[in-house]
Amino acid sequence: MSDKQSKELNNNITTDTATLLIKCRDQAGIVQAVSEFIHRYGGNIITLDQYSTAHEGGQYFMRLEFALAELSAIIENFEVSFAHTVAKRYHMTWRLHNNAIKTKVGILVSKFDHALLDLLWRHQRGLLDCAITIVVSNHEDLRQAVENFGIDFHYVPVTKDTKAAAEAQINKLMADNDLLVLARYMQILSSDFVKKWPMRIINIHHSFLPAFVGADPYRQAYEKGVKLIGATAHYVTAELDQGPIIEQDVHRVTHRQGVVELRAIGRDVERNVLARAVNWHVQNRVIVAGNKTVVFN
């Protein structure tokens, strides 16, 4: 083979990257075993983050990115081999994601548009590392705004009597997605629905819960004279607003700010917190451990 032919062949080889997430009991030799396995396949480690809950015998977490030529063609073999060797030896819970494959995201929303439009804007600008495929709402109000971004919009009304049928329709519409995002979706999802999406639904809410439950929490906050406005993004579980927290943030306020200002500040915090949580999830930076998360951000 000539040098020219060799160069052309090398130029046709595709080098992909993948992200490996690992959770197991902390033991000596984990990093070496994982690194050697990737090296044997000809891979090159790009980043490696790790965390242990204790100096000895704690729970161990790792996020590792590596580059490997022709990864897409050999990834199944790679996974099977890793499972029977390194993962089995260290009793790992693990997940491998080919970074060339974008996470498919579906969004649920009601009438409030701030969190939704922020996600759609970031997605359009390439600032969210995912593919937003569909928006489903129990109101028609945001149809035009969503369709202006070139995203499919579906209206699925929900009443007390039609809740089960509505959730079945939503499940059907969302079936091809990897993640659901509740961008201020003002409906409580049933436990049956949530069970179909374990740790694959992210919600955003104001951090006043449970102190200010119910309607108009910002007015309640104003009447109580709060000094901090906050928001929390978390995974959805069957227990309302009790799922593992991914991200939180706060903004300091004073007695000079009224309900309208508090609400505006709160919505800014909400949209930023939700965007960070979604991005970290789709970039495979989150590992769930019980009711907590380890976030390599």
Side-chain angles (χ1 to χ4, degrees):
M1 182 183 295
S2 69
D3 290 342
K4 181 179 180 182
Q5 288 175 319
S6 178
K7 185 176 181 181
E8 288 176 350
L9 180 61
N10 289 332
N11 287 340
N12 290 329
I13 295 175
T14 302
T15 299
D16 294 320
T17 64
T19 302
L20 178 63
L21 296 179
I22 292 171
K23 177 174 62 176
C24 63
R25 185 177 65 84
D26 195 5
Q27 307 157 66
I30 295 175
V31 175
Q32 181 180 0
V34 173
S35 301
E36 285 182 350
F37 182 89
I38 292 172
H39 176 69
R40 285 200 301 272
Y41 269 81
N44 180 50
I45 294 173
I46 302 169
T47 63
L48 192 158
D49 293 300
Q50 59 182 327
Y51 167 70
S52 181
T53 59
H55 293 305
E56 291 185 9
Q59 194 167 25
Y60 178 80
F61 304 89
M62 177 194 286
R63 179 184 185 272
L64 182 150
E65 284 189 68
F66 64 94
L68 180 60
E70 302 298 338
L71 171 66
S72 297
I74 65 170
I75 192 166
E76 289 186 11
N77 177 275
F78 183 101
E79 288 180 307
V80 170
S81 181
F82 186 83
H84 288 294
T85 55
V86 181
K88 184 177 181 180
R89 188 189 320 159
Y90 291 97
H91 304 287
M92 294 174 173
T93 300
W94 63 283
R95 179 162 55 88
L96 179 68
H97 178 76
N98 184 346
N99 294 340
I101 300 173
K102 296 290 186 184
T103 300
K104 294 180 180 178
V105 177
I107 300 177
L108 287 165
V109 67
S110 290
K111 289 185 176 182
F112 295 119
D113 65 0
H114 57 287
L116 168 70
L117 295 183
D118 185 71
L119 290 175
L120 295 182
W121 181 86
R122 291 173 190 257
H123 177 256
Q124 186 183 69
R125 295 298 188 276
L127 301 176
L128 278 181
D129 194 15
C130 65
I132 295 178
T133 64
I134 185 174
V135 173
V136 174
S137 178
N138 57 326
H139 297 279
E140 283 276 13
D141 301 53
L142 300 176
R143 175 182 291 279
Q144 189 61 57
V146 171
E147 291 179 346
N148 286 343
F149 283 92
I151 304 293
D152 286 340
F153 179 94
H154 289 264
Y155 168 54
V156 180
V158 183
T159 67
K160 183 179 179 181
D161 296 330
T162 65
K163 187 177 182 69
E167 288 193 343
Q169 186 179 352
I170 292 170
N171 256 320
K172 187 175 181 180
L173 289 168
M174 296 293 188
D176 291 334
N177 288 296
D178 306 300
L179 175 71
L180 301 187
V181 178
L182 309 185
R184 295 308 304 273
Y185 184 61
M186 309 306 287
Q187 294 287 326
I188 297 174
L189 298 174
S190 70
S191 58
D192 288 339
F193 185 97
V194 172
K195 286 175 184 176
K196 293 181 174 70
W197 298 85
M199 300 304 161
R200 294 194 295 142
I201 306 176
I202 294 177
N203 187 31
I204 184 70
H205 66 67
H206 51 82
S207 283
F208 304 133
L209 291 174
F212 303 121
V213 181
D216 209 348
Y218 290 103
R219 181 170 295 281
Q220 296 180 58
Y222 172 75
E223 291 170 353
K224 291 289 187 180
V226 301
K227 302 299 185 244
L228 290 172
I229 297 292
T232 298
H234 64 93
Y235 289 115
V236 175
T237 60
E239 192 174 358
L240 183 63
D241 291 334
Q242 298 298 312
I245 293 169
I246 305 169
E247 172 65 340
Q248 293 178 295
D249 204 353
V250 294
H251 189 286
R252 184 165 291 280
V253 297
T254 75
H255 59 277
R256 298 180 183 278
Q257 290 154 317
V259 176
V260 173
E261 289 175 282
L262 295 185
R263 190 176 291 122
I265 292 169
R267 288 176 179 174
D268 274 346
V269 178
E270 287 174 16
R271 62 184 180 82
N272 287 318
V273 167
L274 181 60
R276 290 198 293 269
V278 171
N279 217 20
W280 293 338
H281 176 95
V282 301
Q283 291 178 349
N284 297 288
R285 296 183 177 278
V286 185
I287 301 177
V288 177
N291 203 46
K292 291 184 177 182
T293 62
V294 171
V295 183
F296 292 111
N297 58 3

